[in-house]
């Protein structure tokens, strides 16, 4: 297992390098001069030229990339000009808020998606299966940002059950209850689509397992149906479900960008949008690379978990 983990970690290195190249190239292709955006009304030709020289933007793009990559490997992600603080400090602080939102949404969609898929498969073509299928298709069809706005309108503005936006109340205690009240709507809005996808694929995986011989053997031995479904069939189906969870983790993490905008959640997604609008190149590059690195590491963890369930995957 140690060798398999090391192999997966080594295979992640070219992926991360490719991500840095893509991010750097995209930011370099964005129209406009970063120095002009930074200086604003003080953007005289002399000031622009001096700032480009100070920031190293007068060097060839290839040289700029390797300077940035070398600094980043040394732990120096640069300084955000719009916030006047180290990029790494800002990203780590914002990533905590994103992790709370995305992590909660991922737990919700994993639990409800798997349970819905199992129940639907266990009652194939029954009313439970039809009801779950209808709800899943409805959830998949509704864009998360639109669902979020409708939830704000109904549950925050009309019914006043939850706060409209933010992570903490402006006044009052910042305790767990306050966090949960602010977290409920954005987490549900972010989890709905992923829940539908996981439910559909969990149902397919369960139906395939339920047709196998060892399930018929378990039933012939008198194992209770709930034991057959939840103990035997689900364990075998998890080999196919776990990769889906890894893919949906990426969807949840990327979907947090527009959910954070809708609910004014102070996470990485909102930070990246603001940084792009301000042409804060180092902040954008650092934020995207760190988020991508976390996603790659999560997928490695998913592969390891899958190999623990099915040792044949390691071969």
């Amino acid at each position: 297992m140690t060798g398999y983990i090391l192999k997966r970690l080594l295979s992640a290195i070219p992926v991360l390098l490719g991500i840095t190249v893509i991010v750097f190239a995209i930011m370099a292709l964005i129209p406009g001069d970063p120095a002009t955006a930074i200086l604003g009304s003080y953007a005289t030709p002399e000031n622009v030229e001096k700032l480009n020289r100070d920031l190293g933007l007068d060097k060839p793009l290839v040289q700029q990339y390797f300077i940035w990559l070398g600094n980043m490997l040394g732990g120096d992600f640069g300084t955000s000009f719009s916030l006047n603080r180290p990029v790494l400090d800002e990203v780590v602080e914002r990533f905590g808020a994103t992790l709370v939102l995305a992590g909660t949404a991922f737990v919700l969609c994993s639990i409800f998606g798997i349970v819905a898929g199992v129940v639907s498969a266990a009652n194939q073509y029954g009313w439970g299966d039809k009801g779950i299928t209808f709800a899943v298709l409805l959830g998949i069809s509704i864009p998360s940002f639109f669902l979020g706005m409708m939830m704000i309108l109904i549950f925050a503005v009309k019914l006043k059950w939850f706060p409209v936006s933010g992570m903490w109340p402006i006044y009052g205690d910042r305790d767990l209850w306050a966090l949960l009240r602010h977290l409920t709507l954005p987490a549900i809005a972010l989890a709905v689509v992923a829940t539908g996808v996981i439910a559909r694929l969990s149902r397919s995986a369960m139906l395939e397992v339920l047709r196998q011989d060892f399930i018929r053997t378990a039933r012939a031995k008198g194992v209770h149906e709930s034991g057959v479904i939840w103990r035997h069939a689900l364990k075998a189906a998890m080999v196919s479900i776990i990769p889906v969870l890894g893919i949906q983790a990426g969807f949840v993490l990327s979907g947090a960008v527009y959910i954070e905008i809708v609910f004014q959640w102070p996470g990485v997604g909102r930070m990246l949008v603001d940084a792009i609008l301000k042409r804060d190149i180092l902040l954008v590059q650092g934020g995207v690379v760190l988020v991508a690195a976390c996603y790659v590491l999560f997928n490695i963890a998913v592969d390891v978990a899958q190999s623990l369930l099915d040792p044949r995957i390691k071969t």
Side-chain angles (χ1 to χ4, degrees), residues 266-278:
V268 173
R270 184 179 170 193
M271 178 202 74
L272 289 175
V273 172
D274 293 339
I276 291 172
L277 294 176
K278 296 176 182 177

Side-chain angles (χ1 to χ4, degrees), residues 119-134:
V119 173
S120 182
N123 299 275
Q124 187 180 15
Y125 304 131
W127 285 107
D129 183 22
K130 293 177 182 178
I132 291 174
T133 300
F134 175 78

Side-chain angles (χ1 to χ4, degrees), residues 124-176:
Q124 187 180 15
Y125 304 131
W127 285 107
D129 183 22
K130 293 177 182 178
I132 291 174
T133 300
F134 175 78
V136 163
L137 293 177
L138 184 64
I140 294 176
S141 303
I142 302 176
S144 296
F145 67 89
F146 177 77
L147 177 62
M149 290 187 290
M150 292 299 101
M151 293 175 71
I152 290 174
L153 180 63
I154 297 172
F155 297 106
V157 177
K158 296 290 185 182
L159 299 177
K160 301 185 185 302
W161 289 354
F162 299 98
V164 174
S165 63
M167 183 176 178
W168 299 105
I170 300 176
Y171 304 104
D173 296 332
R174 293 192 170 191
D175 52 13
L176 180 60

Side-chain angles (χ1 to χ4, degrees), residues 11 19 58 109 129 131 173 238 246 281 289:
S11 66
I19 290 171
D58 58 335
C109 70
D129 183 22
D173 296 332
M238 286 302 295
I281 295 177
V289 168

Side-chain angles (χ1 to χ4, degrees), residues 39-56:
L39 292 171
S41 59
Y42 300 97
T44 63
E46 294 79 11
N47 290 338
V48 169
E49 182 180 357
K50 182 180 182 300
L51 185 57
N52 279 326
R53 186 168 57 252
D54 293 340
L55 296 176

